[in-house]
Amino acid sequence: MATIRIAAPDTASAGEVIELKVLIQHPMETGYRSGPDGKRIERDIIEKFEVTYDGETVFEADLQPGIAANPIFTFYTRATTSGPIVFKWTDQDGESWSETHDLTVE
């Protein structure tokens, strides 16, 4: 399982462009390496990351084995209405997790 760290404003003015930063803490194991015992380490990656704001997708990424461990994403969106920003990630086995950050638009 991965955990996520979110840097996002709690409030914004209507129409303001806001910056969202996300760190997904996950080893992103490719499946190509061997462990200390010489056995192959099983593949374990996050395959999909998506962010919705007010029900609309504002960012999404399909991740591949070549991405670094603990990937960081920075992106921008325009504050339009107060509501949740939902960050969802899905692993290679189809299991999903999500975190929500509430944004208040003044």
Side-chain angles (χ1 to χ4, degrees):
M1 181 181 145
T3 58
I4 192 169
R5 294 182 63 184
I6 301 166
D10 294 328
T11 61
S13 300
E16 179 182 352
V17 175
I18 59 171
E19 179 181 71
L20 304 170
K21 289 185 179 184
V22 179
L23 165 68
I24 301 175
Q25 296 175 307
H26 189 275
M28 298 297 283
E29 186 56 59
T30 65
Y32 301 129
R33 296 184 322 128
S34 298
D37 59 0
K39 294 183 181 177
R40 185 177 63 85
I41 300 171
E42 285 193 44
R43 178 179 160 159
D44 182 15
I45 66 169
I46 300 295
E47 288 189 336
K48 181 100 173 149
F49 176 62
E50 53 193 325
V51 180
T52 57
Y53 168 47
D54 196 30
E56 292 188 35
T57 300
V58 294
F59 180 86
E60 68 181 335
D62 292 322
L63 309 177
Q64 302 296 322
I67 195 162
N70 305 316
I72 298 172
F73 300 95
T74 301
F75 52 97
Y76 301 85
T77 193
R78 188 171 305 277
T80 54
T81 61
S82 295
I85 302 173
V86 180
F87 302 83
K88 179 181 175 186
W89 60 103
T90 306
D91 72 7
Q92 67 191 24
D93 299 320
E95 191 169 356
S96 295
W97 300 270
S98 65
E99 290 285 336
T100 301
H101 180 84
D102 290 318
L103 176 67
T104 301
V105 175
E106 302 170 337

